[in-house]
Amino acid sequence: MTNNKKKRIFTTLGIILFLIGISTIFIVNNNLKEKKEFKNTQESNNKEEKSNTHKDKVIENKEEEKVEKENTDDKKDNSSTNKTSNKKPTSSKNTNTNSSSNKPSNNESSNKPSEKPSNSNTNTNTKPEEKPVTPPKEDKNDTKRKSMEKAYGIKIVYGNEIGDYKPKGITPTKLTSESDIENYLNRLNTELAKYPKGFFQDFNKKAMPLTIYLIKSANGSFSGFTDYQFMNNIKMTLATDYNFEYTIHHEMMHYIDCYLNIVMYPKTPYEEYEALNPKDFTYGNATTKQIYNMETNQRGAYFVSQYGSTHVAEDRAEVFKFMTARAYAPTGCFEKDEVIRKKAEVISRQIKTYFPSVTGSTHWDRFIK
């Protein structure tokens, strides 16, 4: 390589390095300049914010001073007014015989001291004095009723709870006296306890729930009524103004027969029972001798009452009420070889056969053992 060529190369490299150095210095200076401008801008903004804050505080202080001054002026005015009103009026030098002229007119201000202004700052948020809470009165009858409903699996209603229901189409007199309700709930409980445990659950398993309606009376039309128009909602109405215990068991036999008619189908509980009546006998045509007389205790009777001789269902209900409600057995009614005793035995046997809850001796078996 010649010397001239070498010189050209070195010269070119020198020029390139020089240009690079110049470019670097220019870029660094620009960066420093931008940083300095940014810093100055920030400082300027901070000064402006401080200045605005100071101005706001000055304005607030002036407004507070103005409000305080106005309040002070108001107090001075009020004080001046009170002083003026409390001054006594000067007496007049002119004498006037008319006494009314000395009285101030309605349009003149009175010399009486001004009334104290009402305190408008009364605390309206004061809580009223809390009164002790009185616990609700316990309904003993309702508690008793619910206990019975749970024990027997039935429903009991009374008073206005019966609603518009009219047994036999008759508007009943409702039982509303608390003492009467308590009395008849207790008596009803005593009679229901005579049935085996689980007895009423046997009905419920056949979808035949029972609701007992306690009423005072039904215009003397009946003492009890069992409404089985709807077998899934059987209603038993008991009037308390009559022989309550007898009525319970009479109507209960109607309820039992509803059950037996279902479980014994296609047979009925009446066929074997009616076979014990005299030949060619029809209900509603009984003679006096065929109806049991409790005073004479005659033998050979077929029916325990006149009402029992009117229909087979009423016959069974009357016999069953004698079996269950009576405290003692009539002398001749349930003696051996008597037809009424045999009718009682048929009823007892049918109940034991078709009610799962009846497994041994029952309360109504007392007179036929």
PDB file of all heavy atoms in Angstrom, residues 30-46:
ATOM      1  N   ASN A  30     -28.925  18.852  24.003  1.00  0.00           N
ATOM      2  CA  ASN A  30     -30.384  18.890  23.846  1.00  0.00           C
ATOM      3  C   ASN A  30     -31.092  18.251  25.040  1.00  0.00           C
ATOM      4  O   ASN A  30     -32.104  18.750  25.540  1.00  0.00           O
ATOM      5  CB  ASN A  30     -30.822  18.185  22.563  1.00  0.00           C
ATOM      6  CG  ASN A  30     -30.632  19.076  21.335  1.00  0.00           C
ATOM      7  OD1 ASN A  30     -30.533  20.301  21.479  1.00  0.00           O
ATOM      8  ND2 ASN A  30     -30.586  18.485  20.150  1.00  0.00           N
ATOM      9  N   ASN A  31     -30.555  17.113  25.496  1.00  0.00           N
ATOM     10  CA  ASN A  31     -31.166  16.421  26.648  1.00  0.00           C
ATOM     11  C   ASN A  31     -31.099  17.283  27.893  1.00  0.00           C
ATOM     12  O   ASN A  31     -32.063  17.383  28.677  1.00  0.00           O
ATOM     13  CB  ASN A  31     -30.474  15.092  26.916  1.00  0.00           C
ATOM     14  CG  ASN A  31     -30.817  14.053  25.850  1.00  0.00           C
ATOM     15  OD1 ASN A  31     -31.850  14.191  25.174  1.00  0.00           O
ATOM     16  ND2 ASN A  31     -29.973  13.040  25.686  1.00  0.00           N
ATOM     17  N   LEU A  32     -29.931  17.910  28.114  1.00  0.00           N
ATOM     18  CA  LEU A  32     -29.798  18.765  29.287  1.00  0.00           C
ATOM     19  C   LEU A  32     -30.755  19.939  29.220  1.00  0.00           C
ATOM     20  O   LEU A  32     -31.362  20.349  30.219  1.00  0.00           O
ATOM     21  CB  LEU A  32     -28.351  19.278  29.405  1.00  0.00           C
ATOM     22  CG  LEU A  32     -27.297  18.203  29.758  1.00  0.00           C
ATOM     23  CD1 LEU A  32     -25.880  18.801  29.671  1.00  0.00           C
ATOM     24  CD2 LEU A  32     -27.552  17.659  31.162  1.00  0.00           C
ATOM     25  N   LYS A  33     -30.919  20.471  28.056  1.00  0.00           N
ATOM     26  CA  LYS A  33     -31.809  21.612  27.877  1.00  0.00           C
ATOM     27  C   LYS A  33     -33.261  21.226  28.167  1.00  0.00           C
ATOM     28  O   LYS A  33     -34.008  21.941  28.847  1.00  0.00           O
ATOM     29  CB  LYS A  33     -31.676  22.148  26.447  1.00  0.00           C
ATOM     30  CG  LYS A  33     -32.458  23.422  26.206  1.00  0.00           C
ATOM     31  CD  LYS A  33     -32.227  23.904  24.790  1.00  0.00           C
ATOM     32  CE  LYS A  33     -33.010  25.201  24.561  1.00  0.00           C
ATOM     33  NZ  LYS A  33     -32.808  25.718  23.176  1.00  0.00           N
ATOM     34  N   GLU A  34     -33.709  20.053  27.680  1.00  0.00           N
ATOM     35  CA  GLU A  34     -35.079  19.600  27.901  1.00  0.00           C
ATOM     36  C   GLU A  34     -35.338  19.351  29.391  1.00  0.00           C
ATOM     37  O   GLU A  34     -36.408  19.685  29.935  1.00  0.00           O
ATOM     38  CB  GLU A  34     -35.346  18.323  27.113  1.00  0.00           C
ATOM     39  CG  GLU A  34     -35.452  18.570  25.611  1.00  0.00           C
ATOM     40  CD  GLU A  34     -35.633  17.265  24.825  1.00  0.00           C
ATOM     41  OE1 GLU A  34     -35.621  16.185  25.471  1.00  0.00           O
ATOM     42  OE2 GLU A  34     -35.795  17.329  23.611  1.00  0.00           O
ATOM     43  N   LYS A  35     -34.370  18.735  30.078  1.00  0.00           N
ATOM     44  CA  LYS A  35     -34.525  18.490  31.503  1.00  0.00           C
ATOM     45  C   LYS A  35     -34.673  19.785  32.269  1.00  0.00           C
ATOM     46  O   LYS A  35     -35.459  19.926  33.196  1.00  0.00           O
ATOM     47  CB  LYS A  35     -33.340  17.691  32.052  1.00  0.00           C
ATOM     48  CG  LYS A  35     -33.340  16.238  31.618  1.00  0.00           C
ATOM     49  CD  LYS A  35     -32.153  15.490  32.224  1.00  0.00           C
ATOM     50  CE  LYS A  35     -32.181  14.020  31.818  1.00  0.00           C
ATOM     51  NZ  LYS A  35     -31.033  13.278  32.392  1.00  0.00           N
ATOM     52  N   LYS A  36     -33.862  20.775  31.922  1.00  0.00           N
ATOM     53  CA  LYS A  36     -33.901  22.053  32.605  1.00  0.00           C
ATOM     54  C   LYS A  36     -35.237  22.742  32.384  1.00  0.00           C
ATOM     55  O   LYS A  36     -35.850  23.288  33.316  1.00  0.00           O
ATOM     56  CB  LYS A  36     -32.764  22.929  32.086  1.00  0.00           C
ATOM     57  CG  LYS A  36     -32.617  24.232  32.877  1.00  0.00           C
ATOM     58  CD  LYS A  36     -31.389  24.980  32.378  1.00  0.00           C
ATOM     59  CE  LYS A  36     -31.203  26.268  33.202  1.00  0.00           C
ATOM     60  NZ  LYS A  36     -29.999  27.025  32.751  1.00  0.00           N
ATOM     61  N   GLU A  37     -35.768  22.663  31.137  1.00  0.00           N
ATOM     62  CA  GLU A  37     -37.059  23.271  30.849  1.00  0.00           C
ATOM     63  C   GLU A  37     -38.185  22.578  31.635  1.00  0.00           C
ATOM     64  O   GLU A  37     -39.103  23.221  32.162  1.00  0.00           O
ATOM     65  CB  GLU A  37     -37.349  23.202  29.355  1.00  0.00           C
ATOM     66  CG  GLU A  37     -36.479  24.126  28.536  1.00  0.00           C
ATOM     67  CD  GLU A  37     -36.744  23.973  27.041  1.00  0.00           C
ATOM     68  OE1 GLU A  37     -37.498  23.045  26.677  1.00  0.00           O
ATOM     69  OE2 GLU A  37     -36.220  24.758  26.263  1.00  0.00           O
ATOM     70  N   PHE A  38     -38.175  21.242  31.723  1.00  0.00           N
ATOM     71  CA  PHE A  38     -39.180  20.483  32.470  1.00  0.00           C
ATOM     72  C   PHE A  38     -39.173  20.860  33.940  1.00  0.00           C
ATOM     73  O   PHE A  38     -40.212  21.047  34.586  1.00  0.00           O
ATOM     74  CB  PHE A  38     -38.913  18.984  32.297  1.00  0.00           C
ATOM     75  CG  PHE A  38     -39.856  18.113  33.072  1.00  0.00           C
ATOM     76  CD1 PHE A  38     -41.154  17.896  32.641  1.00  0.00           C
ATOM     77  CD2 PHE A  38     -39.443  17.525  34.271  1.00  0.00           C
ATOM     78  CE1 PHE A  38     -42.008  17.109  33.354  1.00  0.00           C
ATOM     79  CE2 PHE A  38     -40.295  16.743  34.973  1.00  0.00           C
ATOM     80  CZ  PHE A  38     -41.585  16.532  34.527  1.00  0.00           C
ATOM     81  N   LYS A  39     -37.899  21.013  34.498  1.00  0.00           N
ATOM     82  CA  LYS A  39     -37.773  21.370  35.898  1.00  0.00           C
ATOM     83  C   LYS A  39     -38.344  22.743  36.157  1.00  0.00           C
ATOM     84  O   LYS A  39     -39.044  22.996  37.141  1.00  0.00           O
ATOM     85  CB  LYS A  39     -36.302  21.304  36.296  1.00  0.00           C
ATOM     86  CG  LYS A  39     -36.060  21.560  37.785  1.00  0.00           C
ATOM     87  CD  LYS A  39     -34.589  21.377  38.104  1.00  0.00           C
ATOM     88  CE  LYS A  39     -34.350  21.618  39.589  1.00  0.00           C
ATOM     89  NZ  LYS A  39     -32.921  21.476  39.953  1.00  0.00           N
ATOM     90  N   ASN A  40     -38.055  23.674  35.271  1.00  0.00           N
ATOM     91  CA  ASN A  40     -38.576  25.033  35.419  1.00  0.00           C
ATOM     92  C   ASN A  40     -40.103  25.065  35.358  1.00  0.00           C
ATOM     93  O   ASN A  40     -40.759  25.801  36.089  1.00  0.00           O
ATOM     94  CB  ASN A  40     -37.988  25.951  34.330  1.00  0.00           C
ATOM     95  CG  ASN A  40     -36.488  26.178  34.532  1.00  0.00           C
ATOM     96  OD1 ASN A  40     -35.984  26.093  35.668  1.00  0.00           O
ATOM     97  ND2 ASN A  40     -35.761  26.489  33.449  1.00  0.00           N
ATOM     98  N   THR A  41     -40.655  24.236  34.460  1.00  0.00           N
ATOM     99  CA  THR A  41     -42.116  24.180  34.329  1.00  0.00           C
ATOM    100  C   THR A  41     -42.759  23.664  35.615  1.00  0.00           C
ATOM    101  O   THR A  41     -43.774  24.172  36.096  1.00  0.00           O
ATOM    102  CB  THR A  41     -42.512  23.265  33.158  1.00  0.00           C
ATOM    103  OG1 THR A  41     -41.915  23.769  31.974  1.00  0.00           O
ATOM    104  CG2 THR A  41     -44.031  23.225  32.980  1.00  0.00           C
ATOM    105  N   GLN A  42     -42.150  22.629  36.201  1.00  0.00           N
ATOM    106  CA  GLN A  42     -42.670  22.069  37.441  1.00  0.00           C
ATOM    107  C   GLN A  42     -42.646  23.081  38.570  1.00  0.00           C
ATOM    108  O   GLN A  42     -43.597  23.239  39.331  1.00  0.00           O
ATOM    109  CB  GLN A  42     -41.855  20.837  37.870  1.00  0.00           C
ATOM    110  CG  GLN A  42     -42.512  19.520  37.471  1.00  0.00           C
ATOM    111  CD  GLN A  42     -41.795  18.350  38.120  1.00  0.00           C
ATOM    112  OE1 GLN A  42     -40.616  18.467  38.499  1.00  0.00           O
ATOM    113  NE2 GLN A  42     -42.476  17.244  38.226  1.00  0.00           N
ATOM    114  N   GLU A  43     -41.524  23.776  38.705  1.00  0.00           N
ATOM    115  CA  GLU A  43     -41.392  24.780  39.752  1.00  0.00           C
ATOM    116  C   GLU A  43     -42.415  25.883  39.573  1.00  0.00           C
ATOM    117  O   GLU A  43     -43.012  26.366  40.524  1.00  0.00           O
ATOM    118  CB  GLU A  43     -39.974  25.366  39.736  1.00  0.00           C
ATOM    119  CG  GLU A  43     -38.903  24.377  40.222  1.00  0.00           C
ATOM    120  CD  GLU A  43     -37.498  24.961  40.119  1.00  0.00           C
ATOM    121  OE1 GLU A  43     -37.379  26.076  39.573  1.00  0.00           O
ATOM    122  OE2 GLU A  43     -36.568  24.309  40.608  1.00  0.00           O
ATOM    123  N   SER A  44     -42.655  26.254  38.330  1.00  0.00           N
ATOM    124  CA  SER A  44     -43.638  27.307  38.049  1.00  0.00           C
ATOM    125  C   SER A  44     -45.040  26.867  38.456  1.00  0.00           C
ATOM    126  O   SER A  44     -45.808  27.624  39.048  1.00  0.00           O
ATOM    127  CB  SER A  44     -43.611  27.647  36.558  1.00  0.00           C
ATOM    128  OG  SER A  44     -44.591  28.604  36.248  1.00  0.00           O
ATOM    129  N   ASN A  45     -45.382  25.604  38.133  1.00  0.00           N
ATOM    130  CA  ASN A  45     -46.707  25.078  38.507  1.00  0.00           C
ATOM    131  C   ASN A  45     -46.879  25.030  40.019  1.00  0.00           C
ATOM    132  O   ASN A  45     -47.949  25.333  40.556  1.00  0.00           O
ATOM    133  CB  ASN A  45     -46.910  23.675  37.925  1.00  0.00           C
ATOM    134  CG  ASN A  45     -47.060  23.702  36.411  1.00  0.00           C
ATOM    135  OD1 ASN A  45     -47.433  24.741  35.847  1.00  0.00           O
ATOM    136  ND2 ASN A  45     -46.760  22.587  35.752  1.00  0.00           N
ATOM    137  N   ASN A  46     -45.817  24.615  40.731  1.00  0.00           N
ATOM    138  CA  ASN A  46     -45.889  24.537  42.192  1.00  0.00           C
ATOM    139  C   ASN A  46     -46.117  25.912  42.799  1.00  0.00           C
ATOM    140  O   ASN A  46     -46.893  26.089  43.734  1.00  0.00           O
ATOM    141  CB  ASN A  46     -44.624  23.916  42.770  1.00  0.00           C
ATOM    142  CG  ASN A  46     -44.515  22.437  42.445  1.00  0.00           C
ATOM    143  OD1 ASN A  46     -45.535  21.800  42.196  1.00  0.00           O
ATOM    144  ND2 ASN A  46     -43.302  21.880  42.424  1.00  0.00           N
TER     145      ASN A  46
END
